[in-house]
Amino acid sequence: MGKLPKNFALLKRSENQRISRRRLQENSSFSSNVSSGEDDKKELSHDIVTDWKDSDWAPSISAVFKILFSIRLSASLWSIISDCDEVYNYWEPLHLVLFKRGFQTWEYSPVYGIRSWLYILLYAGPAKFLIKIFPDSKVALFFSLRFLISFFTLFSELFLYRAICQRISNSIGRTFILFSTFSSAMFGASCAFLPSSFSMSLNAFASAFYLFEYWSLSIFCTAISALIGWPFSAILGLPIVIEMLIIRKRKLALKFLFYSILFGLLICLLLFIVDTHFFGRPVLAPLNIIFYNIFSSNGPNLYGKEPISFYLKNLFLNFNIAFILAIFAIPFCLFFLIIQKINEEKYKKEDKTILFKNYFGNNPLKQWERFRPLIFLSMSATIWMLIFMLQPHKEERFLFPIYPHICLLAAICLDCLYRLLNKTKFATTFCVAILIIFVIASFSRIAALHRNYSGLLDIYKDFNNKISSDRILIQNLIRKSSSS
């Protein structure tokens, strides 16, 4: 095979440190399974901390960044606005903050106060800077802000990709980033000016920090996502809760409580100050959202009810074959976890016949550390789906926060299939065919949405050009009249 271009250089990691001594010391549940003999302890400890070879290739960070950059830039330019809330609940209030003119929806009325102005202010700062660059073009300002949103999403995807490669495996990481990059769902959600899109990116960061075991940062991202973005996204912090309060409660429980209370109080205080100023009365918007959606007599059901099939159809349209793969990811994870436990017992008895050796390699003892985060992340996405499927009122944007999880689940399933088929030539052909089908179907969906539903953005651009040309014409007429 010839040398690949520099821009698409492949990074082949020959050795990845999977489990550090720190994790071994913290993981009391794992160490309790070790036999009491000193020789066994030494052997087990040596096996766990020894590097294991991950010979699978993965695209370099720079290569992934360049591809993602081009896709996300395209999304900011050509992706449609699919939700009316994005226009009236976010672009209009931002326009009001920037230009002192804009519509006010009932959500921003002081009577209800279920939308926080702090979320709007996060975008107002960069927008004011961009106004200085594009003083005469609101269209340029609009698309520049969309690109900044896409850029934020890009970094969350990139960071999660790096975490998956280093913490789980290169093969799952490279498949995840392919699903995430070319998915029509991510194409639309990545540039959306919506709290659910904001939560999607922050929860991706939180998941990456969780995999890296940067506990304070994972809690911080989850807190911002839930309090400033969308309160219900706190559900996706479940893996952090389980890990810190159940699996490693002796070492991490106090740390979890400390950081949760600290970040929660600081963010709530900031929210209270900002929203009280804008609404003219004491308001904590996240509480109002929860009360409105859960405890009010009417709630969001006023705006329509849909069957469960609404989400199933939507996910299949946006993820096509990847959605089917994601459904089977959790059974695969549980299956391999059971096999791992069997292998662990065989290994302790010095039985070297490892089941599914293509998946586990020669040493199965470290695999619990590998599969545990996958199961917890899968669990949080499943709980999210169950909760929102049972809600009568359904909207596409409600699924945005779990889009990275769906890409990860699909990657897990495809990786499991590849290894179950023993990495044969047929397995490679089969998996590549699935990926090709996914990419073609995704681009077809993106093209169809742009072709059939981009009229509003086209009108907006043409209308802005008309206003700009009329303004220039009027200015020229004024100059001529004043000179004469």
Side-chain angles (χ1 to χ4, degrees):
M1 183 176 178
K3 187 176 180 181
L4 292 171
K6 184 178 180 181
N7 287 350
F8 296 92
L10 301 179
L11 177 63
K12 187 173 182 179
R13 297 183 176 90
S14 59
E15 292 185 355
N16 280 350
Q17 184 73 24
R18 293 302 182 200
I19 301 174
S20 63
R21 292 184 184 274
R22 175 173 57 84
R23 289 180 186 154
L24 175 63
Q25 293 169 355
E26 290 179 355
N27 194 351
S28 58
S29 63
F30 185 87
S31 60
S32 63
N33 292 328
V34 182
S35 58
S36 57
E38 288 297 319
D39 293 337
D40 291 341
K41 285 183 180 179
K42 290 179 181 178
E43 181 182 354
L44 180 61
S45 177
H46 174 73
D47 287 335
I48 291 174
V49 299
T50 301
D51 290 355
W52 69 287
K53 293 184 178 180
D54 186 359
S55 58
D56 289 319
W57 65 267
S60 65
I61 295 295
S62 61
V64 172
F65 174 81
K66 292 167 187 174
I67 297 171
L68 263 178
F69 182 87
S70 61
I71 297 293
R72 296 296 168 249
L73 175 61
S74 302
S76 62
L77 294 174
W78 296 316
S79 178
I80 65 169
I81 294 180
S82 60
D83 197 299
C84 61
D85 268 20
E86 183 176 355
V87 175
Y88 294 106
N89 273 327
Y90 302 103
W91 285 112
E92 283 289 348
L94 180 61
H95 190 279
L96 179 63
V97 171
L98 297 175
F99 302 104
K100 311 306 178 187
R101 299 190 308 276
F103 293 111
Q104 181 197 70
T105 61
W106 67 269
E107 290 96 332
Y108 284 94
S109 168
V111 177
Y112 300 98
I114 69 170
R115 306 288 188 197
S116 175
W117 283 98
L118 181 57
Y119 176 70
I120 302 298
L121 294 182
L122 291 178
Y123 297 85
K128 288 184 178 180
F129 174 76
L130 290 171
I131 289 173
K132 297 179 180 179
I133 302 175
F134 309 109
D136 299 321
S137 177
K138 289 184 179 179
V139 167
L141 174 63
F142 170 75
F143 284 107
S144 298
L145 278 173
R146 291 190 96 195
F147 177 67
L148 287 180
I149 297 170
S150 298
F151 206 59
F152 182 63
T153 305
L154 181 155
F155 273 105
S156 70
E157 294 172 276
L158 201 64
F159 196 59
L160 183 55
Y161 162 71
R162 182 169 174 264
I164 293 169
C165 285
Q166 293 190 11
R167 180 69 170 82
I168 302 172
S169 77
N170 289 341
S171 58
I172 292 178
R174 70 174 182 241
T175 312
F176 159 78
I177 202 62
L178 189 146
F179 283 133
S180 183
T181 301
F182 297 106
S183 163
S184 60
M186 291 296 296
F187 189 85
S190 62
C191 61
F193 184 16
L194 289 166
S196 51
S197 177
F198 180 71
S199 293
M200 176 188 75
S201 299
L202 279 169
N203 281 111
F205 276 118
S207 297
F209 287 129
Y210 162 67
L211 291 174
F212 280 130
E213 298 189 359
Y214 298 152
W215 304 115
S216 59
L217 291 174
S218 62
I219 294 171
F220 179 66
C221 289
T222 304
I224 294 178
S225 171
L227 295 173
I228 299 179
W230 200 24
F232 304 103
S233 64
I235 298 168
L236 298 179
L238 182 64
I240 304 167
V241 175
I242 295 175
E243 192 81 39
M244 299 185 75
L245 292 184
I246 299 176
I247 302 296
R248 308 190 199 182
K249 60 183 178 181
R250 291 184 180 179
K251 295 287 184 179
L252 300 176
L254 289 178
K255 183 180 289 188
F256 174 83
L257 294 174
F258 172 76
Y259 284 119
S260 298
I261 294 172
L262 174 65
F263 295 140
L265 288 177
L266 289 176
I267 296 171
C268 283
L269 178 62
L270 185 59
L271 280 165
F272 182 78
I273 293 172
V274 170
D275 289 334
T276 299
H277 169 74
F278 276 90
F279 288 115
R281 67 180 182 88
V283 170
L284 194 58
L287 281 180
N288 290 344
I289 295 174
I290 294 172
F291 286 138
Y292 168 74
N293 282 279
I294 298 176
F295 301 109
S296 64
S297 57
N298 294 316
N301 295 342
L302 283 171
Y303 303 100
K305 300 178 182 180
E306 298 290 343
I308 293 176
S309 59
F310 173 85
Y311 279 149
L312 298 178
K313 293 176 183 177
N314 186 275
L315 287 170
F316 184 73
L317 280 172
N318 282 323
F319 285 99
N320 57 79
I321 200 167
F323 174 55
I324 306 298
L325 292 172
I327 293 174
F328 294 98
I330 296 177
F332 270 124
C333 279
L334 294 174
F335 171 74
F336 278 110
L337 180 60
I338 294 170
I339 296 298
Q340 178 266 326
K341 288 297 182 183
I342 296 173
N343 282 337
E344 183 178 322
E345 295 301 320
K346 291 166 71 69
Y347 196 81
K348 288 178 183 178
K349 295 176 182 178
E350 298 184 354
D351 183 354
K352 301 300 182 180
T353 57
I354 304 300
L355 299 177
F356 294 100
K357 191 173 181 179
N358 279 329
Y359 208 96
F360 292 109
N362 293 320
N363 183 359
L365 291 176
K366 52 182 153 302
Q367 295 304 321
W368 167 239
E369 284 283 341
R370 179 183 180 188
F371 279 92
R372 187 172 68 203
L374 294 182
I375 292 172
F376 294 160
L377 289 171
S378 304
M379 188 188 305
S380 64
T382 304
I383 292 173
W384 180 279
M385 282 298 302
L386 290 174
I387 290 173
F388 281 91
M389 278 187 171
L390 294 175
Q391 299 301 312
H393 180 63
K394 298 176 177 65
E395 295 187 36
E396 180 181 351
R397 61 188 169 92
F398 294 169
L399 300 180
F400 283 7
I402 62 167
Y403 280 177
H405 292 72
I406 293 174
C407 295
L408 176 58
L409 291 175
I412 292 168
C413 183
L414 195 62
D415 185 69
C416 289
L417 287 173
Y418 178 63
R419 294 175 189 276
L420 281 173
L421 295 172
N422 293 321
K423 299 183 179 180
T424 59
K425 187 175 181 180
F426 169 77
T428 303
T429 305
F430 176 74
C431 292
V432 169
I434 288 178
L435 294 175
I436 291 173
I437 292 171
F438 168 77
V439 172
I440 293 174
S442 296
F443 276 122
S444 175
R445 169 76 171 167
I446 292 169
L449 288 174
H450 176 74
R451 183 178 183 274
N452 297 315
Y453 299 99
S454 61
L456 291 176
L457 289 178
D458 292 337
I459 291 172
Y460 175 53
K461 288 184 282 188
D462 292 340
F463 188 62
N464 182 79
N465 293 335
K466 173 66 175 173
I467 292 175
S468 299
S469 61
D470 289 348
R471 185 187 299 118
I472 294 172
L473 180 61
I474 292 171
Q475 289 174 351
N476 290 335
L477 290 174
I478 292 173
R479 287 172 186 169
K480 288 181 180 180
S481 61
S482 61
S483 61
S484 61

